[in-house]
Amino acid sequence: MSVKTEVLRLLEANREKDLSGQELADYLGVSRVAVWKAVKSLKEEGYHVEAANNRGYRLLNDSDILSAEGIRLGLDNSYKDRQILVYKSVDSTNQEVKRLALGGAEEGLVVLAEQQTGGKGRRGRSFFSPPGCGIYMSVLFRPGDEKSRNAVLLTTAASVAVCRGIRCVLQEEPEIKWVNDVYFRGKKVCGILTEAVSDVESGKIDTVVIGIGVNYRAPENGVPEEIREIMGFVCEGDAPLPRNSLAAAILNELYRLYEGLEERTYMEDYRKWSNVIGREVRFTTAVDLDDETQWKYGTAVDIDRDGGLVVQMRDGGEMVLRTGEVTLRVNDVDKEIVCRNEGVYGRDI
């Protein structure tokens, strides 16, 4: 590791504590000048490092830059060796992970970015990804035969991982809008996009990429008008917490859930946090969302062990949705909020 990386690791591990230049130099086996240059470089990158005579250096709590060093501090010991890459800007973290997967990247790889210029959701929709305001990250998995048969459950598991991460860091209860949107304090704070890549010869799933986009804080320039009503932020109105802490909490949960994916132990939490069960829904499984004849009505009554939404139809019948578009009627403002099933989408290479 470079001196700068090592200095950042030590500062992250001792936030708001003073570390003298000599202490850092002795610990790393380098000169004080090398430490000074490393700190200077970190400041130029935007880290809030305070330097004072006779005290040394300290990383302030209001310094909130995503870093592999900061995230790794919060990971369980069994996950600390996972590769973590952080970019200032990337077209899409999902796309970057798929590119790295083609080059042989190992399972567990995490890619994060301060900004996405081409963040995406289902059906080609864009994902609003302003710089320095969110946690935009994607994780690579290479499921074997057994796990690949349950790959569709990864979106469900990822939703639970995000909720558990929020609960761990903020001690508040989130909600899940089937199948992959996480709500917090009544507004959407996270979307999840899971993409599968199949081997063209075997037809089996080769890799699965889980993209998680968390709206962490509001951008100074505001948000687009079309999503202003429903878009929420994890730290809205609160003292900011380092994004690295929440990213690590989510990753810990996601890795654990992946290891026991087939056991489906997370489904209890998925149902508990659902804000769909017991409510009237309007839904369609058609490709053309503008075709009003394809929309149906019913009441969401359960979520089955495979993550399917069980709907009691108005005519007394029952349907289980595996994919589709679902809307909820919000009585107090008489409008619809769209819940999108990002699903798992295969692509041969």
Side-chain angles (χ1 to χ4, degrees):
M1 292 186 182
S2 67
V3 174
K4 183 176 72 172
T5 298
E6 289 288 358
V7 168
L8 177 58
R9 180 178 63 82
L10 292 171
L11 291 175
E12 283 278 14
N14 296 275
R15 272 183 181 254
E16 289 291 341
K17 294 181 181 178
D18 294 319
L19 295 176
S20 73
Q22 192 61 57
E23 284 180 306
L24 291 168
D26 291 343
Y27 186 85
L28 298 177
V30 299
S31 68
R32 290 185 62 178
V33 172
V35 171
W36 176 82
K37 288 182 177 178
V39 172
K40 181 174 182 291
S41 180
L42 290 172
K43 287 182 176 181
E44 290 171 351
E45 291 180 11
Y47 289 92
H48 296 175
V49 182
E50 186 178 77
N53 291 332
N54 302 319
R55 282 213 332 253
Y57 306 106
R58 67 164 60 185
L59 183 63
L60 302 181
N61 272 336
D62 66 355
S63 183
D64 189 25
I65 293 179
L66 292 171
S67 70
E69 295 75 22
I71 293 170
R72 208 178 301 280
L73 285 171
L75 292 180
D76 293 349
N77 287 334
S78 55
Y79 308 135
K80 286 185 183 294
D81 62 345
R82 304 294 170 94
Q83 186 179 15
I84 303 173
L85 301 177
V86 182
Y87 296 83
K88 287 293 183 184
S89 181
V90 70
D91 54 351
S92 158
T93 57
N94 266 29
Q95 289 297 110
E96 180 63 12
V97 167
K98 286 190 282 187
R99 286 191 287 262
L100 293 169
L102 287 171
E106 294 184 2
E107 182 172 79
L109 163 74
V110 187
V111 168
L112 302 98
E114 288 284 1
Q115 177 187 20
Q116 292 184 116
T117 58
K120 62 177 183 175
R122 187 170 172 249
R123 299 178 186 267
R125 300 181 181 103
S126 62
F127 186 88
F128 184 55
S129 312
C133 298
I135 299 173
Y136 318 122
M137 68 178 178
S138 298
V139 187
L140 172 65
F141 292 106
R142 295 187 181 277
D145 287 346
E146 183 63 29
K147 276 190 169 64
S148 66
R149 286 194 286 271
N150 295 295
V152 70
L153 295 173
L154 277 168
T155 300
T156 305
S159 301
V160 173
V162 172
C163 287
R164 288 180 179 177
I166 290 175
R167 187 182 186 190
C168 174
V169 173
L170 298 175
Q171 289 79 53
E172 292 191 53
E173 295 294 316
E175 294 179 322
I176 299 173
K177 185 180 287 294
W178 186 86
V179 63
N180 65 336
D181 287 341
V182 176
Y183 275 62
F184 188 55
R185 300 170 186 160
K187 291 193 173 184
K188 178 180 173 179
V189 297
C190 174
I192 297 165
L193 174 63
T194 304
E195 297 181 290
V197 181
S198 301
D199 181 89
V200 70
E201 293 183 358
S202 67
K204 295 180 180 179
I205 292 177
D206 178 61
T207 61
V208 175
V209 181
I210 298 181
I212 297 172
V214 179
N215 306 326
Y216 203 72
R217 63 171 60 85
E220 292 182 0
N221 296 329
V223 301
E225 184 175 355
E226 61 270 20
I227 59 175
R228 196 171 298 158
E229 291 288 335
I230 65 170
M231 187 174 184
F233 302 92
V234 170
C235 284
E236 191 170 24
D238 296 332
L241 296 167
R243 286 174 292 161
N244 292 325
S245 298
L246 181 55
I250 292 171
L251 288 170
N252 280 330
E253 295 294 342
L254 183 60
Y255 288 141
R256 280 195 287 266
L257 290 176
Y258 176 73
E259 290 169 357
L261 187 67
E262 301 88 347
E263 299 170 11
R264 295 169 168 81
T265 56
Y266 51 87
M267 289 307 301
E268 182 178 348
D269 275 352
Y270 190 86
R271 294 186 186 97
K272 177 183 71 176
W273 281 316
S274 171
N275 63 2
V276 175
I277 294 177
R279 299 181 65 177
E280 185 176 11
V281 296
R282 177 176 178 262
F283 66 91
T284 181
T285 57
V287 175
D288 183 6
L289 302 184
D290 294 325
D291 185 354
E292 291 295 329
T293 65
Q294 297 299 312
W295 287 85
K296 299 178 177 65
Y297 291 84
T299 300
V301 295
D302 197 7
I303 293 169
D304 70 14
R305 70 187 303 272
D306 295 321
L309 184 65
V310 183
V311 180
Q312 187 74 40
M313 306 297 291
R314 286 180 172 178
D315 62 8
E318 188 175 276
M319 285 188 65
V320 180
L321 302 183
R322 301 295 175 193
T323 186
E325 299 285 339
V326 174
T327 70
L328 297 178
R329 178 67 66 178
V330 182
N331 295 326
D332 59 343
V333 293
D334 191 35
K335 70 180 179 182
E336 292 177 344
I337 295 179
V338 177
C339 163
R340 312 195 189 285
N341 176 1
E342 303 297 352
V344 177
Y345 303 95
R347 181 174 66 86
D348 291 336
I349 57 172

